[in-house]
Amino acid sequence: MTDHEAGRNKVDDYEVLLSSEQIEKRVKEIAEVISDDYRGKRPLLIGVLKGAVIFLSDLIRFLTIPVEIDFIAVSSYGNATASSGVVRILKDLEQSIQGKDVLIVEDIVDTGLTLNYLVENLGSRHPNSLRVVTLLDKPDRRKVKFEPDYCGFNIPDRFVIGYGLDYGEDYRQLSDLRVLDE
Ligand code: IMP
Ligand code: MG
């Protein structure tokens, strides 16, 4: 019998790395900075599916500027190909981004391969500007040089779940960010 079937809530035992209150406070702060930086503009926020969905929906409600949103989905490379940096677009944008102020919204930067690819790919579509905001950053895990323009928290090299982040599509709905132990 699985924990789920047994009605046990194992999730409660997982260590909370960032509480929903800590996350909300920081998301508000980032939203203030972004609102200042884009004052008078109407940026297009591009959420990277699926992990960034919760962060994007919280972030935009704290912004004090008008925005548009769109979404893109990319494949995650398997371990075997991680070093090759091959990333594939599974769902593309609905619109041209030419001349737009584009802000990519990501849940976490790990090796940096995904965002490295997305910045190159979207950058070639002639946006007016292109920046990246990530809720989380694991700088110790980088395989390619990548610096987000805005970052919520630097975290240690541990696998985290919740607030949109999954393990095998589970746990995205948790309000706190927790550590999934081996
Ligand atoms: P990167 O291309 O290695 O930077 O990978 C980024 C993607 O890997 C993120 O968008 C997440 O989907 C996933 N990822 C990396 N670390 C974690 C984690 O600790 N928990 C859940 N997903 C993660
Ligand atoms: Mg992601």
Side-chain angles (χ1 to χ4, degrees):
M1 202 189 306
T2 64
D3 287 315
H4 181 68
E5 285 160 348
R8 280 190 288 266
N9 208 350
K10 198 160 178 284
V11 165
D12 291 341
D13 297 339
Y14 296 152
E15 177 192 339
V16 174
L17 189 67
L18 296 167
S19 69
S20 60
E21 292 80 12
Q22 284 175 292
I23 296 171
E24 177 173 305
K25 183 167 171 280
R26 185 68 184 128
V27 173
K28 268 185 196 163
E29 288 170 1
I30 300 172
E32 270 176 40
V33 176
I34 290 173
S35 297
D36 280 346
D37 289 357
Y38 288 87
R39 190 71 58 203
K41 295 182 173 151
R42 184 168 166 274
L44 170 65
L45 272 61
I46 297 179
V48 184
L49 294 172
K50 305 170 195 166
V53 160
I54 311 279
F55 176 41
L56 180 138
S57 48
D58 279 350
L59 180 71
I60 59 175
R61 283 178 286 180
F62 292 129
L63 293 174
T64 55
I65 50 165
V67 293
E68 282 180 85
I69 62 170
D70 202 346
F71 295 94
I72 196 164
V74 293
S75 66
S76 39
Y77 35 76
N79 276 340
T81 56
S83 57
S84 67
V86 175
V87 178
R88 205 160 48 88
I89 292 182
L90 300 177
K91 182 220 168 285
D92 209 336
L93 303 174
E94 289 181 355
Q95 53 180 297
S96 161
I97 59 170
Q98 187 164 356
K100 296 203 170 178
D101 293 300
V102 172
L103 181 58
I104 301 173
V105 183
E106 178 61 301
D107 52 357
I108 186 166
V109 189
D110 189 32
T111 63
L113 290 168
T114 303
L115 278 170
N116 199 51
Y117 170 80
L118 275 179
V119 165
E120 196 180 288
N121 182 293
L122 298 182
S124 72
R125 304 184 195 188
H126 309 292
N128 182 53
S129 66
L130 180 59
R131 288 185 190 164
V132 173
V133 57
T134 185
L135 178 71
L136 306 166
D137 191 354
K138 282 188 204 167
D140 296 346
R141 295 256 312 161
R142 278 305 188 287
K143 289 197 168 123
V144 289
K145 199 169 172 289
F146 182 83
E147 275 294 322
D149 298 279
Y150 307 96
C151 172
F153 303 92
N154 277 354
I155 62 167
D157 178 13
R158 302 176 78 183
F159 196 85
V160 289
I161 50 167
Y163 200 75
L165 290 96
D166 74 307
Y167 174 70
E169 297 298 326
D170 279 328
Y171 309 118
R172 293 192 195 276
Q173 79 276 21
L174 304 180
S175 303
D176 302 316
L177 189 82
R178 292 177 185 260
V179 176
L180 188 72
D181 287 319
E182 317 67 50

